[in-house]
């Protein structure tokens, strides 16, 4: 029994190493890569709101100081300007965020396509999800789309989150080993990958 448990833990350690060698976890860290973009987008939004509010306030102040605008009207203007300034700031923030996010999503999508190929890759780790994080329904959905080969149905952010969640489940489960059923299923899944590669080699025309 002790030897079997030791073998299961060794299998898990090797699986973690294989997972980390297979997936570029930094490239698939969507939240980390988006953090600078989110910061810039918020800054652009705040600047746009500030400029609009400052312009309106300056015009109102000029009118009030030169008796073109009454004090009560100027006071109302100061408060009313916050509405369009907030709307414009929010619009600029969303626009800037989308523009800064696009190259990141495009890069991750290209990397997903390289990883998944035509036969899928991430779905082969389904036994890890079943054993260590079965309540993660979003991860389950991504694994299903990977097995079906429906890459266009997978949002790049969701794919990144699924990869990170699986890695975290493997790393943070401590001494908890994968069961024999999970190990056997993983072996079958990767055996299918090797069989698929052999079929591809046979389908290639001779030089």
């Amino acid at each position: 029994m002790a030897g079997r448990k030791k073998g299961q833990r060794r299998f898990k350690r090797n699986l973690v190493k294989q997972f980390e060698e297979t997936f570029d976890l930094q490239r698939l860290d969507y939240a980390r890569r988006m953090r600078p973009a989110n910061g810039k987008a918020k800054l652009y939004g705040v600047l746009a709101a500030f400029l609009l509010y400052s312009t309106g306030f300056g015009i109102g102040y000029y009118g009030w100081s030169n008796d073109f605008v009454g004090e009560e009207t100027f006071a109302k203007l100061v408060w009313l300007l916050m509405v369009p300034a907030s709307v414009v700031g929010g619009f600029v923030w969303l626009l800037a965020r989308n523009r800064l996010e696009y190259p990141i999503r495009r890069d991750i999508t290209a990397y997903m396509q390289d990883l998944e190929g035509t036969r899928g890759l991430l779905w082969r780790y389904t036994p890890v999800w079943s054993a260590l994080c079965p309540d993660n329904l979003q991860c389950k959905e991504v694994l299903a789309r990977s097995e079906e080969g429906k890459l266009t149905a997978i949002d790049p952010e969701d794919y990144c989150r699924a990869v990170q969640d699986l890695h975290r489940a493997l790393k943070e489960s401590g001494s908890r080993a994968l069961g024999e059923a999970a190990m056997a299923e993983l072996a079958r899944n990767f055996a299918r990958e090797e069989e698929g590669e052999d079929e591809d080699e046979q389908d290639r025309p001779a030089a």
Side-chain angles (χ1 to χ4, degrees):
M1 179 64 72
R4 185 169 60 184
K5 287 291 184 182
K6 186 176 180 180
Q8 290 173 343
R9 287 194 292 269
R10 186 186 302 113
F11 180 90
K12 182 181 168 186
R13 287 196 300 270
N14 292 337
L15 184 64
V16 172
K17 182 179 179 181
Q18 180 205 48
F19 193 94
E20 292 174 345
E21 290 175 350
T22 301
F23 297 95
D24 187 339
L25 296 174
Q26 289 190 340
R27 191 173 180 181
L28 292 174
D29 192 341
Y30 193 92
R32 181 189 62 81
R33 294 184 66 180
M34 276 298 299
R35 201 168 295 127
N38 283 328
K40 288 181 181 179
K42 289 178 182 177
L43 179 61
Y44 294 151
V46 169
L47 286 174
F50 175 77
L51 288 174
L52 179 60
Y53 185 84
S54 298
T55 301
F57 182 87
I59 293 173
Y61 181 80
Y62 177 81
W64 172 70
S65 61
N66 288 278
D67 295 327
F68 298 136
V69 177
E71 184 174 341
E72 184 177 349
T73 303
F74 177 63
K76 289 180 180 178
L77 180 66
V78 169
W79 286 102
L80 290 173
L81 278 172
M82 292 183 180
V83 176
S86 299
V87 171
V88 170
F91 175 76
V92 170
W93 168 68
L94 287 174
L95 183 63
R97 186 182 186 278
N98 288 337
R99 290 179 65 87
L100 293 168
E101 184 182 35
Y102 176 73
I104 295 175
R105 293 177 65 88
R106 184 176 58 185
D107 175 67
I108 292 173
T109 299
Y111 184 53
M112 281 171 52
Q113 292 172 344
D114 289 341
L115 284 172
E116 294 290 316
T118 58
R119 300 179 183 276
L121 173 64
L122 190 62
W123 69 268
R124 302 177 195 277
Y125 293 92
T126 299
V128 175
W129 167 82
S130 300
L132 302 178
C133 52
D135 295 331
N136 191 330
L137 299 182
Q138 187 178 62
C139 185
K140 177 184 179 182
E141 180 71 17
V142 173
L143 291 169
R145 299 288 82 78
S146 171
E147 185 170 11
E148 294 167 0
K150 296 181 178 178
L151 283 183
T152 55
I154 306 176
D155 185 274
E157 185 176 2
D158 292 341
Y159 187 88
C160 291
R161 188 176 293 114
V163 170
Q164 298 293 342
D165 287 348
L166 288 173
H167 180 248
R168 192 177 302 110
L170 283 167
K171 293 282 285 186
E172 295 181 359
S173 56
S175 59
R176 182 180 172 190
L178 293 171
E180 292 183 358
M183 291 167 56
E185 187 177 352
L186 281 163
R188 286 195 299 269
N189 289 347
F190 285 102
R192 286 173 59 184
E193 180 182 22
E194 293 174 1
E195 290 171 3
E197 289 176 354
D198 291 341
E199 291 174 3
D200 289 342
E201 288 289 342
Q202 292 174 5
D203 291 340
R204 290 175 188 168

